[in-house]
């Protein structure tokens, strides 16, 4: 087993631009009035596409190569739903329906990752942006009073580093490649 420094916890995600992140943060602060809990910092808000987990750092190149084989879509996401997961104490925002373009992106990413030998958990994909943790919430979904349009032009590979202040994320690669 490699030393911790030689390993990385990574995932693919949609990362909002500043304006979308601010709108999501506004939805989060409204939700906080109702559900309390811990607000995610605006710069950490994201939508996970495929969670790879902890891997040897040397495999990051394989992940980048897998990302290179995925067609970069343009998607207009309608963030119209506020969801609650009671057991996880999470409140999130997302689209009511994932939509074919997003599902197709997730499926091609998963297929390329499996092709590259990455073992992925086959959980059903529920597109969501976590807004609150440790929230005093229930289960269920509500329509957002002010839905948000999120123009997606690409996706990212991110490393998650656990910190005392909550998760710290570092973007390792972006698609389209820059
Ligand atoms: P923390 O775990 O420190 O509270 P976090 O959940 O944001 O913070 P990670 O656990 O590294 O950080 O997870 C990164 C992203 O991947 C998050 O969006 C998280 O919801 C998602 N994720 C974590 N584990 C899984 C999993 N097993 N399946 C699908 N998505 C996951
Ligand atoms: Mg986690």
């Amino acid at each position: 087993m490699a030393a911790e420094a030689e390993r990385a916890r990574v995932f693919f995600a949609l990362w909002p631009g500043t304006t979308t992140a601010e709108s999501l943060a506004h939805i989060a602060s409204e939700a906080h009035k109702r559900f309390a809990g811990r607000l995610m910092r605006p710069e950490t808000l994201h939508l996970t596409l495929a969670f790879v987990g902890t891997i040897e750092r040397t495999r990051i190149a394989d992940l980048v190569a897998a990302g290179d084989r995925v067609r970069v879509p343009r998607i207009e996401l309608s963030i119209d739903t506020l969801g609650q997961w009671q057991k996880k104490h999470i409140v999130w925002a997302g689209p009511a329906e994932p939509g074919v373009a997003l599902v197709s992106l997730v499926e091609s990413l998963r297929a390329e990752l499996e092709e590259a030998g990455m073992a992925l958990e086959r959980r059903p994909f529920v597109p969501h942006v976590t807004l609150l943790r440790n929230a005093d919430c229930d289960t269920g979904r509500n329509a957002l009073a002010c839905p948000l349009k999120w123009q997606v032009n690409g996706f990212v590979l991110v490393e998650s580093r656990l910190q005392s202040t909550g998760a710290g994320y570092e973007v390792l690669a972006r698609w389209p490649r820059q």
Side-chain angles (χ1 to χ4, degrees):
M1 179 80 65
E4 245 354 88
E6 292 165 17
R7 291 158 67 80
R9 184 175 170 91
V10 294
F11 60 103
F12 286 87
L14 302 181
W15 214 270
T18 316
T19 311
T20 305
E22 279 167 8
S23 304
L24 287 165
H26 177 72
I27 295 170
S29 58
E30 287 301 307
H32 188 256
K33 293 177 189 164
R34 187 168 154 205
F35 301 110
R38 183 160 56 87
L39 272 167
M40 299 299 97
R41 285 171 285 129
E43 66 274 20
T44 67
L45 294 170
H46 64 274
L47 190 154
T48 299
L49 298 169
F51 182 75
V52 178
T54 302
I55 52 153
E56 307 284 311
R57 255 178 216 287
T58 52
R59 297 225 61 196
I60 288 173
D62 297 337
L63 292 176
V64 173
D68 282 342
R69 288 191 292 271
V70 172
R71 197 183 70 81
V72 181
R74 287 183 174 270
I75 305 172
E76 185 181 84
L77 273 185
S78 177
I79 305 295
D80 54 10
T81 301
L82 191 72
Q84 306 168 55
W85 283 329
Q86 187 170 34
K87 283 192 199 146
K88 292 185 177 173
H89 303 281
I90 279 176
V91 175
W92 53 269
E97 297 294 335
V100 284
L102 184 57
V103 167
S104 148
L105 171 61
V106 166
E107 285 180 352
S108 24
L109 255 178
R110 285 182 171 181
E112 291 300 344
L113 292 170
E114 283 172 2
E115 189 67 31
M118 305 282 166
L120 294 181
E121 268 183 59
R122 275 275 171 193
R123 281 191 201 171
F125 174 60
V126 181
H128 68 281
V129 179
T130 298
L131 304 176
L132 304 173
R133 289 181 187 271
N134 305 114
D136 184 12
C137 64
D138 216 306
T139 47
R141 297 179 182 203
N142 297 96
L144 280 170
C146 294
L148 161 68
K149 293 284 181 217
W150 175 357
Q151 303 293 342
V152 173
N153 303 314
F155 59 90
V156 292
L157 173 66
V158 185
E159 177 173 354
S160 167
R161 298 199 178 119
L162 299 181
Q163 299 172 341
S164 55
T165 52
Y169 304 120
E170 186 190 342
V171 173
L172 301 178
R174 286 180 191 280
W175 289 268
R177 294 292 292 278
Q178 288 157 346

